[in-house]
Amino acid sequence: MIQNILRNIPTPCPWRDTVYWYDTVDSTNTKAKELAKAGALHGTVVIAGNQTAGRGRMGRSFSSLEGKGVYLSVILRPGCTADRLMHLTCAAGVAAMKAVEAVCGVCPDIKWANDLVLGGKKLGGILTELGFAGNIVDYAIIGIGINCCQQEEDFPEELKDIATSMWLQTGRRIDPASLAAALTEQLFFTDWSLLSGKKQLMDTYRQHCITLGKEIVVVQNDIKYTATAIDVDQDGGLLVRLADGAEKIVNFGEVSIRGLCGYV
Ligand code: BTN
């Protein structure tokens, strides 16, 4: 597998020299965090064939069936304060979207903040985690999971209406190794323009963000309300208009889109 991945990463991408492959891990994000704490370099990529405890946002698990998806985390060492990295998850979403398009020719949408959506169902997700040295970000871990070769019966019952795969949506069985390679390459490009090309990254994000213009339900802790999604700001915050016309920025929480299959 590792040879297949490396073969597909173009030689000029220096991250190909720091790719770690594991047949099975608990979570590539957890493994990447261990490596980061032990001094792993910027651009270290952790990929696994299987995760026994794949993690999603808000303490959820991420279904990670062996050989069916891509489970990849990259370590960045941006050496800046966290306020300059607020758009990191959005930038990773753009990279993941481009990688999917590169390998199967179909461009997924992005559902705010970090879900890849194809055919109205969730194709993948992103979990970003930071570690600090004082007020400087010592490491940022971007973890991406994308469903590649699952058929409906591969998803647990509770995900059958919500989740999809590249195979289900395109009829093409994409080799996870080529998607992992494309993700590595796109994340490398994105990292390159992360701080200097923020405007363009966020413009691309907005163009593909399926949430904008939609009626949504926002769930933040125990609070739930309806709103219209209007815009995404430069830091990845979602600007929404409430029923009384007031506007506010949503920075965290779950957003469901009214009418989108499986999301309401
Ligand atoms: C979400 O949808 O809430 C985010 C899912 C992120 C899953 C990926 S799979 C690779 C990396 N390792 C993890 O444990 N999680 C991320």
Side-chain angles (χ1 to χ4, degrees):
M1 180 75 169
I2 179 75
Q3 291 312 326
N4 279 349
I5 296 170
L6 295 181
R7 210 184 353 261
N8 283 289
I9 302 175
T11 317
C13 174
W15 289 4
R16 72 193 302 284
D17 297 331
T18 48
V19 175
Y20 286 70
W21 163 264
Y22 298 90
D23 289 331
T24 186
V25 288
D26 48 0
S27 148
T28 56
N29 265 36
T30 306
K31 178 56 78 178
K33 209 181 290 184
E34 281 168 29
L35 292 169
K37 285 182 179 165
L41 296 175
H42 178 90
T44 298
V45 181
V46 178
I47 310 173
N50 175 39
Q51 297 187 117
T52 54
R55 295 187 284 115
R57 285 172 70 237
M58 300 194 283
R60 296 194 183 125
S61 61
F62 185 81
S63 169
S64 310
L65 218 57
E66 177 154 17
K68 303 278 180 179
V70 169
Y71 317 114
L72 178 150
S73 301
V74 63
I75 301 168
L76 304 183
R77 294 196 179 274
C80 63
T81 49
D83 57 318
R84 299 189 65 199
L85 295 175
M86 302 293 280
H87 64 305
L88 184 62
T89 301
C90 293
V94 170
M97 177 193 85
K98 288 184 177 174
V100 170
E101 186 178 25
V103 294
C104 77
V106 178
C107 188
D109 298 309
I110 303 172
K111 174 177 166 276
W112 188 89
N114 64 352
D115 284 349
L116 291 185
V117 172
L118 204 51
K121 293 184 172 185
K122 179 163 170 166
L123 182 72
I126 297 167
L127 177 66
T128 307
E129 299 178 289
L130 303 182
F132 290 87
N135 65 342
I136 299 296
V137 176
D138 181 31
Y139 59 83
I141 312 282
I142 300 172
I144 303 183
I146 299 181
N147 302 327
C148 214
C149 310
Q150 288 90 339
Q151 287 293 296
E152 287 201 341
E153 61 272 18
D154 292 325
F155 291 113
E157 207 52 49
E158 66 276 14
L159 294 184
K160 282 194 192 324
D161 290 339
I162 302 173
T164 194
S165 72
M166 289 165 70
W167 193 9
L168 282 169
Q169 291 298 321
T170 68
R172 292 183 59 195
R173 189 170 184 168
I174 303 296
D175 178 8
S178 47
L179 178 57
L183 262 178
T184 304
E185 187 187 10
Q186 289 300 333
L187 285 165
F188 170 71
F189 288 140
T190 297
D191 170 58
W192 203 62
S193 61
L194 188 63
L195 299 180
S196 59
K198 181 173 175 179
K199 181 181 178 315
Q200 199 182 341
L201 276 170
M202 291 309 297
D203 283 348
T204 307
Y205 181 90
R206 278 184 210 97
Q207 278 160 23
H208 294 272
C209 181
I210 196 177
T211 312
L212 294 183
K214 302 272 183 7
E215 295 294 307
I216 59 170
V217 178
V218 183
V219 182
Q220 293 176 309
N221 299 325
D222 291 338
I223 302 166
K224 191 172 175 178
Y225 55 92
T226 55
T228 306
I230 298 171
D231 201 0
V232 176
D233 72 15
Q234 284 302 89
D235 289 332
L238 184 67
L239 177 67
V240 302
R241 183 174 302 124
L242 307 176
D244 64 3
E247 293 182 0
K248 65 178 275 191
I249 296 284
V250 177
N251 283 310
F252 72 99
E254 191 65 73
V255 160
S256 301
I257 302 175
R258 195 178 297 280
L260 183 62
C261 178
Y263 275 107
V264 172

